[in-house]
Amino acid sequence: MNLTTNFTLEELTHTDHRTFDNTPNAEELANLRRLADFLEQVKVVIGGKPIMINSAFRSKAVNDAVGSSDKSQHRRGCAADLRVPGMTPDAVVSAIIKSKLPYDQVIREFDRWTHVSIPNTADAKPRKMALIIDKQGTRPYA
């Protein structure tokens, strides 16, 4: 099912942990629609390049299987880990920050992918957190 022109429910709920149900409820689906709308804006900012989703929505079972926190925005359908062929994660993070898009978080993770998120509710103000997570820990993006 298409959520937007370029993003489907299937790609935003895909998991390699196939034994777990990863079906979003109504609230999570509404968040995934907002996330897909945001990803369309990111696509414009990066010049229309393809966006490859590593992980977006995670049910509790999937989230537990990957060792992530229950507070993760992936649990709510508000976050995606992505790669852009032909762009480094650093270039993606930089483009999003410079664009002034209403991101909640943008994180360069292990210099392998970019985490982006939207606020947990439609009426919340974006925190505009820009971070780096790697072997040295978590720190502000500079």
Side-chain angles (χ1 to χ4, degrees), residues 67-88:
S68 188
S69 165
D70 276 337
K71 294 179 182 178
S72 168
Q73 288 180 290
H74 289 276
R75 284 282 297 114
R76 300 178 69 102
C78 292
D81 295 336
L82 56 91
R83 292 173 292 109
V84 178
M87 290 182 77
T88 65

Side-chain angles (χ1 to χ4, degrees), residues 9-67:
L9 178 61
E10 292 75 20
E11 74 183 310
L12 295 182
T13 58
H14 172 79
T15 179
D16 290 333
H17 297 277
R18 298 193 191 285
T19 58
F20 298 117
D21 180 23
N22 202 41
T23 305
N25 64 29
E27 180 181 339
E28 294 158 346
L29 180 57
N31 286 338
L32 284 169
R33 288 183 193 283
R34 289 190 309 112
L35 179 63
D37 286 337
F38 178 77
L39 291 171
E40 291 288 355
Q41 294 175 60
V42 171
K43 188 169 179 68
V44 170
V45 164
I46 61 171
K49 292 179 175 66
I51 294 176
M52 313 300 291
I53 305 296
N54 295 345
S55 177
F57 174 73
R58 296 183 197 142
S59 66
K60 175 147 178 55
V62 171
N63 201 59
D64 289 350
V66 300

